[in-house]
Amino acid sequence: MSTEFRPHRLLRSPHVQSILASVKLRRTLIRRRSRSMEQQSQRHLLDCGAGVKLEAHYSPRTQPRALVVLLHGWEGSHDSVYLYSLANHLFEAGFAIVRLNLRDHGGTHALNPELFHSARTDEVFG
């Protein structure tokens, strides 16, 4: 059995895939499928040291297969369609999920006095 990704011929263009990923209908369908995960979701403020606080959304499972921590992309957040979709897929497969907002993402601008900088990975590890 081949594990190579082969999308339908109409969906092979990466541009088409990028456009379809952000269609409003997709967000609505994913939200509907993700009700169980969202009902379990708990918002937490994490103290990362040096006065830095990050927001996390934790969806626990009883006897999870493992804990998966998901980080969004450059302009994303815990609520981005692609991250939310992946989180729900993993949640339904039995994993506990943490969707972590990086500094100044997902409406967390007021948590920290300094601005986001992509090289500040130490605060995520904290």
Side-chain angles (χ1 to χ4, degrees), residues 71-77 82-83 102 105:
L71 301 174
H72 57 79
W74 183 253
E75 291 186 4
S77 75
Y82 64 90
L83 191 91
L102 298 175
H105 288 76

Side-chain angles (χ1 to χ4, degrees), residues 19-119:
I19 292 167
L20 290 177
S22 60
V23 171
K24 191 173 183 176
L25 176 61
R26 182 168 187 254
R27 176 178 288 280
T28 302
L29 292 173
I30 288 169
R31 288 287 181 188
R32 193 172 297 147
R33 278 185 288 199
S34 304
R35 284 186 184 134
S36 178
M37 180 186 73
E38 189 58 37
Q39 288 172 346
Q40 299 294 321
S41 183
Q42 306 162 5
R43 180 180 177 262
H44 294 274
L45 289 181
L46 306 177
D47 181 347
C48 300
V52 175
K53 292 183 180 145
L54 297 180
E55 180 185 68
H57 293 261
Y58 173 53
S59 298
R61 300 283 302 193
T62 54
Q63 299 182 334
R65 293 174 61 180
L67 173 67
V68 177
V69 178
L70 298 175
L71 301 174
H72 57 79
W74 183 253
E75 291 186 4
S77 75
H78 75 282
D79 205 28
S80 295
V81 173
Y82 64 90
L83 191 91
Y84 205 87
S85 176
L86 175 59
N88 185 61
H89 179 77
L90 292 168
F91 184 80
E92 292 299 320
F95 293 90
I97 306 297
V98 172
R99 294 174 289 133
L100 182 66
N101 277 325
L102 298 175
R103 180 192 294 236
D104 293 345
H105 288 76
T108 64
H109 298 80
L111 290 180
N112 300 290
E114 295 180 25
L115 297 175
F116 169 75
H117 187 286
S118 62

